[in-house]
Amino acid sequence: MSVFNAYMSLSGATDADVLRDERLSRRTSYRIGGPAALVVVAHSYEALAKTVAVLAAERVEWVILGKGSNVLASDAGYDGCVILLDDEFSRMTVDAEGATVTAGAGVTLARLVNDAMKAGLSGLEFCVGIPGTLGGAVSMDAGTRREWIGRRVRDLVVLRPGQGMHRYSGDEIEWGYRATSIPPTEIILEATLALMPAERSAIAADMDARLRRRRQAQPLALPSCGSVFRNPPDRSAGVLVQSCGLAGATAGGAQISEEHCNFIVNRGGATAADVVTLIRRAHDAVLERFGIDLACEVKLLGF
């Protein structure tokens, strides 16, 4: 593996910004994480394809990172390459007449929801207040307990490294709770979402109500990665953790939120080790008291 060779091959030779040893705390919503050996900000499909080809040739591991809103990066950093999608991946087309939105993987959910509302298209209101990008949301079938983005995907375009682009229809993909059948080796490029015409005022009112509930129930004022555990069937992970008396529990600069016990927040200066300590404490307490093996929803990078 040669990160240096990859850096030299990509620097100035493709439509991308290539950086060495950038701290992942700058790229994650937790504001936690040591340096990534290599960071590539790809501005075009061609740049992305070349980047993954070079990394494969140099046997350098890589990962696609959106807004880092569901990621806990190691304090030691990541020995591979973090790829970010920009420019060409941030394009979006709204077809109000056909009731569809086609957007690149780098489009933020905030922009996606707001532009759909302005066009009088309903179906994405449940995404309001969810941080991150469309690519990340599709890859984990983000949403709520009752609504998820996979139900809206009509078509999906991915890059199969070494092979080229491939188009899926939405019904070819298995959509599950925080999971899909999309192979982890494939990179989501863009998706077309099928929506429904509706009055803009009604969509806006629904979005406002959902956002108010989210702000009242979740600790949005402090850095976090959102929900830490998946909700077990018919149970709330947050309520289970709270029932174990762990509301407000701390480890270093990290804390299990007293507002919502499925959130672990960075009160200032928290390390990845602090967060992992609380994840294990909450998991083990729930397992011991309720016999429920909570599944972690956070993606770990560099561990």
Side-chain angles (χ1 to χ4, degrees):
M1 180 177 88
S2 176
V3 170
F4 178 75
N5 286 348
Y7 174 73
M8 295 301 294
S9 296
L10 293 171
S11 295
T14 187
D15 184 20
D17 301 323
V18 186
L19 310 169
R20 289 290 308 273
D21 299 323
E22 177 164 323
R23 295 194 67 82
L24 290 168
S25 57
R26 298 183 57 194
R27 301 288 185 178
T28 63
S29 61
Y30 247 137
R31 302 294 180 259
I32 290 173
L38 197 61
V39 172
V40 174
V41 184
H43 300 295
S44 65
Y45 298 136
E46 182 181 356
L48 175 61
K50 179 168 183 177
T51 296
V52 294
V54 167
L55 295 174
E58 295 297 336
R59 295 194 296 178
V60 176
E61 291 184 5
W62 55 267
V63 64
I64 300 292
L65 190 66
K67 292 298 181 183
S69 57
N70 193 42
V71 173
L72 177 63
S74 167
D75 298 316
Y78 177 55
D79 290 336
C81 178
V82 170
I83 303 174
L84 307 170
L85 307 179
D86 201 357
D87 290 352
E88 196 166 3
F89 302 94
S90 298
R91 295 177 180 173
M92 182 166 61
T93 302
V94 180
D95 180 0
E97 186 175 337
T100 62
V101 175
T102 299
V107 172
T108 64
L109 291 182
R111 179 185 167 202
L112 185 69
V113 173
N114 282 316
D115 282 15
M117 179 271 291
K118 291 175 183 177
L121 295 178
S122 175
L124 293 175
E125 292 87 336
F126 67 91
C127 288
V128 68
I130 298 178
T133 59
L134 176 61
V138 170
S139 69
M140 64 175 292
D141 199 10
T144 66
R145 283 183 169 215
R146 292 171 293 278
E147 300 169 283
W148 51 93
I149 202 162
R151 301 174 79 177
R152 301 296 173 207
V153 175
R154 190 190 72 183
D155 298 291
L156 187 67
V157 180
V158 301
L159 174 66
R160 291 177 170 173
Q163 300 179 44
M165 295 184 186
H166 176 77
R167 182 181 296 275
Y168 290 102
S169 64
D171 56 13
E172 288 182 87
I173 300 168
E174 294 179 18
W175 304 97
Y177 179 50
R178 302 297 182 267
T180 76
S181 61
I182 303 167
T185 54
E186 298 183 355
I187 302 172
I188 296 169
L189 302 180
E190 72 171 30
T192 297
L193 308 176
L195 306 177
M196 298 85 66
E199 291 292 329
R200 279 184 291 179
S201 58
I203 300 171
D206 188 8
M207 288 169 55
D208 288 343
R210 290 172 184 263
L211 196 54
R212 280 196 303 272
R213 290 194 296 270
R214 189 178 292 275
R215 287 171 175 165
Q216 290 168 358
Q218 299 177 359
L220 303 181
L222 292 173
S224 78
C225 70
S227 296
V228 172
F229 300 107
R230 298 178 185 176
N231 289 314
D234 302 319
R235 303 296 291 270
S236 164
V239 171
L240 291 170
V241 174
Q242 184 176 17
S243 298
C244 293
L246 291 177
T250 62
Q255 181 183 48
I256 295 178
S257 172
E258 295 177 290
E259 296 177 62
H260 193 311
C261 288
N262 201 18
F263 282 65
I264 296 176
V265 297
N266 181 355
R267 299 187 307 164
T271 65
D274 294 336
V275 176
V276 169
T277 295
L278 291 180
I279 291 174
R280 287 174 175 163
R281 188 182 304 174
H283 171 273
D284 293 350
V286 170
L287 182 61
E288 181 178 354
R289 180 167 181 179
F290 298 101
I292 296 175
D293 185 8
L294 291 177
C296 194
E297 191 171 306
V298 184
K299 294 182 179 179
L300 302 179
L301 180 59
F303 286 83

